[in-house]
Amino acid sequence: MRLIFLGPPGAGKGTQASILANSLEILHISTGELLRKERKEKTKRGVEAQLYIDRGALVPERVVMEIVQEQLTKPEANEGWILDGFPRNVSQASALYELLIETSQKSYDCAVSFDVPEPVLVERLKKRAIKEGRTDDTPEVLRNRLKSYHDETSPLIQFYSDRQKLEIINGFMSREAVTGALKEIVEELKENI
């Protein structure tokens, strides 16, 4: 199973990707988590990414592509994966398609978009910033992140819809209900493989 999770910050992509990846025993590739790890370790990529993250801007495509390529070339990626936070725009979606060809991997099965009202996202992000001590999640940065998402990532929904590879989930439901909806999508995909 190869899935792409789309949605704004705070939509629950990471939580659900982790739950589903564990259930399916496949790789969970979270570009956000991988970037946070690199920033914490102060790698060259991490330091560069920090400059963009501090102001709520998207990390340069080249940096994100390097991280995704490293993950997709791991042997366990052949068993399947969930991409969480990537691609972020149509250009990255095209680059992903090329990368899958280069690495001789099967294409993705489906892109899942998590739909959550913006006021709910803002509240979730504020709570997460406090809970996880994310000092980069100031109100201004949160607004910039949501604007960046809508400007850059929203066209992806149309991109995957045009290819009939899109499922939309109400991310405002309970965690358990969202997990259940995702498992239904996976079962349906398995039947069609």
Side-chain angles (χ1 to χ4, degrees), residues 50-75:
Q50 187 70 51
L51 298 172
Y52 293 88
I53 291 167
D54 283 345
R55 57 180 200 264
L58 293 177
V59 175
E61 219 164 280
R62 170 189 48 78
V63 174
V64 178
M65 280 306 299
E66 285 174 13
I67 290 171
V68 170
Q69 186 166 3
E70 279 176 13
Q71 296 299 310
L72 289 177
T73 53
K74 287 181 173 181

Side-chain angles (χ1 to χ4, degrees), residues 29-97:
I29 303 170
S30 166
T31 52
E33 286 300 317
L34 292 165
L35 282 168
R36 276 188 282 284
K37 182 175 184 258
E38 295 225 9
R39 284 172 25 222
K40 187 176 179 184
E41 294 171 0
K42 297 193 184 335
T43 65
K44 184 179 178 205
R45 277 195 305 226
V47 171
E48 182 180 356
Q50 187 70 51
L51 298 172
Y52 293 88
I53 291 167
D54 283 345
R55 57 180 200 264
L58 293 177
V59 175
E61 219 164 280
R62 170 189 48 78
V63 174
V64 178
M65 280 306 299
E66 285 174 13
I67 290 171
V68 170
Q69 186 166 3
E70 279 176 13
Q71 296 299 310
L72 289 177
T73 53
K74 287 181 173 181
E76 57 267 36
N78 291 321
E79 304 303 315
W81 38 258
I82 298 174
L83 278 174
D84 160 17
F86 181 88
R88 286 212 159 167
N89 56 45
V90 174
S91 170
Q92 287 181 358
S94 298
L96 173 62
Y97 178 77

Side-chain angles (χ1 to χ4, degrees), residues 14 57 60 81 105 114-115 129 138 140-141 146 160 163 176:
W81 38 258
Q105 286 201 43
F114 290 73
D115 191 30
T138 64
E140 183 182 346
V141 167
L146 290 173
Y160 289 117
R163 285 154 184 76
E176 296 75 20

Side-chain angles (χ1 to χ4, degrees), residues 114-189:
F114 290 73
D115 191 30
V116 181
E118 194 155 315
V120 174
L121 294 172
V122 171
E123 279 309 305
R124 285 182 181 177
L125 290 169
K126 283 180 189 172
K127 286 179 185 168
R128 183 170 80 182
I130 293 165
K131 182 180 171 194
E132 297 179 11
R134 291 195 191 181
T135 54
D136 57 333
D137 281 352
T138 64
E140 183 182 346
V141 167
L142 294 178
R143 278 192 296 278
N144 284 344
R145 287 176 66 199
L146 290 173
K147 183 180 182 327
S148 290
Y149 171 77
H150 289 296
D151 292 348
E152 289 277 326
T153 312
S154 291
L156 270 179
I157 293 168
Q158 190 63 51
F159 177 87
Y160 289 117
S161 179
D162 290 348
R163 285 154 184 76
Q164 299 180 331
K165 291 273 194 171
L166 180 71
E167 294 285 342
I168 297 175
I169 283 192
N170 175 359
F172 189 44
M173 299 185 293
S174 71
R175 182 179 293 178
E176 296 75 20
V178 173
T179 301
L182 283 169
K183 288 185 176 177
E184 283 178 26
I185 289 169
V186 167
E187 288 309 312
E188 198 173 304
L189 288 169

